[in-house]
Amino acid sequence: MSSSIRYSLLIFLLAVGISSAAAQSKPRPSHFSIRKDAKALQYYISLQVSEREQYVPVVLDLGGQHTWFDCDTYKLPTYKPIGCGTTKCNNVKSDGCMGCNLPRKPGCTNNTCGVSSYNPYTNDLYAQGLGEDNLYVVDTNGMSIGLTYELPKPFPFSCADSDLLRGLSKETKGMTGLANTITSLHSQITTKFRFPHKFALCLPSSTQYSLGDIFIGGGPYYYLPYTKDIAKELITTKFVINPVSTYPIYTEGDHSDEYFIDVTSISVDKRPVSVNAALLSIDKLGNGGTKLSTVTAFTKLETSIYKSLVSDFKKAAALRKMKRVASVAPFGACFKASSVTKSQTGPVVPYIDIGLAGKQHWRFYGANSMVSVKKDVLCLAFVDGGSKPRTSVVIGGHQMEEYLIEFDLVSSKLGISTSLLFRNTTCTQSRVM
């Protein structure tokens, strides 16, 4: 598509988006643009907090329970602490009552509802006071963005100590949680706007030209030139409840708020990989199973699963005449890039299928199964998660990139785009900003 035609299309979409949004009596589903930090291998969005033109960049965490950021960097004139013992405090997983001996400011108040803010990159856990302020969101028709709306009620978050920012992208000032909790970003937006409790991610693979998307409140989802609503093209599988919380601190009896699915098999070029089936199930102590994670860069596999996958992939690669080169840590199978042809779905390599309950499968083509680590070297983008990990399979960000993945918490299902037509468009199509 020529640049002039593309520009005209974007102007048209802007006009359609604004005019249709203006006609709405209430906002449509919300949209945030996702950016990728290629160095940190993290995905982040910007939240409009307290003031309409104030943007707070925060890393996306599918396992995070709420939003936290460094409040000292921003003006928060309408910030209010949430008090201990209040209904709002009792409705969240409070850690008790917080106090502060320093001058009063956002994040430093007495008799404040205490919560735990967690940084998974450094494994740091801090007790902080929960507060609330205005949040502004942009609505969408699934193709272009429209108007900005203020959340009908204040948005809860905690103010982070600067030490908690260690390990985060330098482009960001905190994290926003997407776990299945009442304080998560999607839960707050869907509840307060009375949207269906759904959200969808399309993580970008590139940092140079592209933006990904997070939709909150359901579809439709459109990605030109593919003309169909992706919401109607998804394969689905049920979420599985892990009976034991995977958060660093929890109360006995709490189940996990993360997103687990039932993986039944793994195969390479349709040939099953040898896997101990028990590892794919969650035991009564909450060990095993498969979850999705945006803070895990590359899919982690329990050691025996990882070794089987690497071995079978090498054999299949040899049949395709892919030339092996020395492995580059942390990857166990690397190849000469010039010996691999390319297509619209990335390097043409043995494809990997993750079998899902319901006789579905999630196929990873070269764009998601391989990673370029240096000049003329491609590696299998899966890593060894250890011999006794808490979770046997953690599907990471690289494997999720460019797929539209819907988290339907109404029907408790995960939806995944698998259409080759959609895979040829990717989620990095420009949107009207």
Side-chain angles (χ1 to χ4, degrees):
M1 183 183 293
S2 70
S3 58
S4 60
I5 294 175
R6 188 178 183 83
Y7 178 75
S8 298
L9 175 62
L10 293 180
I11 294 299
F12 169 75
L13 293 179
L14 176 59
V16 172
I18 291 178
S19 62
S20 58
Q24 301 293 316
S25 59
K26 66 176 183 178
R28 299 162 299 184
S30 303
H31 174 271
F32 298 87
S33 294
I34 303 176
R35 290 172 169 81
K36 179 181 178 180
D37 183 325
K39 184 175 181 180
L41 298 178
Q42 295 172 11
Y43 310 93
Y44 63 97
I45 63 173
S46 291
L47 301 178
Q48 290 179 263
V49 179
S50 196
E51 298 181 336
R52 188 177 288 263
E53 299 303 322
Q54 179 169 254
Y55 294 87
V56 181
V58 286
V59 175
L60 292 174
D61 181 6
L62 270 175
Q65 295 190 344
H66 67 276
T67 297
W68 56 264
F69 60 88
D70 180 7
C71 296
D72 290 342
T73 307
Y74 304 97
K75 296 179 180 179
L76 301 173
T78 50
Y79 172 91
K80 294 181 180 178
I82 295 176
C84 299
T86 61
T87 300
K88 290 180 180 179
C89 185
N90 292 336
N91 286 338
V92 303
K93 294 183 177 179
S94 174
D95 293 335
C97 204
M98 298 292 296
C100 185
N101 296 323
L102 299 175
R104 181 185 173 92
K105 64 175 184 177
C108 183
T109 54
N110 291 320
N111 302 315
T112 305
C113 184
V115 292
S116 296
S117 298
Y118 179 56
N119 181 336
Y121 297 105
T122 58
N123 203 33
D124 287 332
L125 185 72
Y126 282 54
Q128 297 172 336
L130 189 67
E132 59 184 9
D133 208 331
N134 302 328
L135 179 70
Y136 300 90
V137 298
V138 176
D139 80 347
T140 180
N141 60 5
M143 182 179 293
S144 61
I145 62 173
L147 299 180
T148 299
Y149 292 83
E150 181 181 344
L151 221 60
K153 295 181 181 180
F155 176 70
F157 60 89
S158 64
C159 294
D161 296 330
S162 58
D163 286 349
L164 196 55
L165 300 180
R166 290 179 300 177
L168 298 189
S169 164
K170 293 182 179 180
E171 304 296 325
T172 66
K173 291 296 182 180
M175 303 190 77
T176 189
L178 298 176
N180 191 11
T181 63
I182 65 171
T183 46
S184 65
L185 178 65
H186 55 84
S187 181
Q188 287 292 309
I189 292 174
T190 56
T191 299
K192 290 171 181 176
F193 280 131
R194 297 184 179 180
F195 294 151
H197 197 180
K198 302 178 182 180
F199 71 99
L201 299 175
C202 206
L203 300 179
S205 59
S206 170
T207 59
Q208 189 172 5
Y209 306 109
S210 62
L211 297 174
D213 303 289
I214 175 169
F215 301 92
I216 297 179
Y221 316 117
Y222 290 103
Y223 288 90
L224 297 175
Y226 192 61
T227 58
K228 295 182 179 180
D229 175 10
I230 303 300
K232 299 178 180 178
E233 303 284 314
L234 306 176
I235 65 165
T236 61
T237 188
K238 280 281 190 180
F239 286 120
V240 176
I241 301 297
N242 187 326
V244 181
S245 176
T246 47
Y247 201 65
I249 184 171
Y250 62 93
T251 302
E252 186 176 356
D254 288 350
H255 61 73
S256 177
D257 299 313
E258 295 192 80
Y259 302 103
F260 285 78
I261 56 175
D262 186 5
V263 168
T264 58
S265 65
I266 301 174
S267 63
V268 176
D269 277 351
K270 294 187 177 181
R271 295 186 177 185
V273 172
S274 177
V275 176
N276 180 352
L279 294 171
L280 299 180
S281 299
I282 302 172
D283 65 24
K284 62 182 181 180
L285 298 178
N287 299 316
T290 300
K291 72 176 182 181
L292 289 83
S293 171
T294 50
V295 299
T296 299
F298 303 100
T299 293
K300 292 182 178 180
L301 304 171
E302 183 274 339
T303 297
S304 67
I305 302 174
Y306 173 76
K307 288 181 177 178
S308 293
L309 175 66
V310 170
S311 177
D312 289 359
F313 190 89
K314 288 177 180 177
K315 293 174 184 176
L319 295 175
R320 292 176 181 247
K321 302 188 183 305
M322 293 168 54
K323 295 182 180 179
R324 291 274 310 282
V325 297
S327 296
V328 178
F331 308 109
C334 298
F335 304 87
K336 191 172 184 179
S338 56
S339 70
V340 181
T341 58
K342 295 182 179 180
S343 72
Q344 289 179 305
T345 55
V348 180
V349 299
Y351 51 83
I352 297 172
D353 285 329
I354 301 283
L356 304 173
K359 297 183 179 180
Q360 303 275 13
H361 67 268
W362 184 354
R363 176 163 292 178
F364 299 132
Y365 295 94
N368 297 91
S369 64
M370 306 299 290
V371 59
S372 177
V373 296
K374 57 184 178 180
K375 186 177 181 180
D376 204 29
V377 177
L378 287 173
C379 294
L380 180 63
F382 293 75
V383 298
D384 188 342
S387 60
K388 293 183 179 180
R390 172 67 189 275
T391 303
S392 300
V393 179
V394 181
I395 298 176
H398 185 77
Q399 276 64 45
M400 289 189 275
E401 288 176 352
E402 307 297 353
Y403 285 98
L404 192 287
I405 302 176
E406 183 183 67
F407 296 76
D408 182 347
L409 300 175
V410 177
S411 58
S412 192
K413 290 182 180 179
L414 182 77
I416 307 163
S417 63
T418 59
S419 168
L420 276 174
L421 287 175
F422 177 60
R423 290 292 298 153
N424 290 344
T425 66
T426 78
C427 72
T428 57
Q429 301 294 315
S430 297
R431 289 188 180 275
V432 180
M433 300 303 295

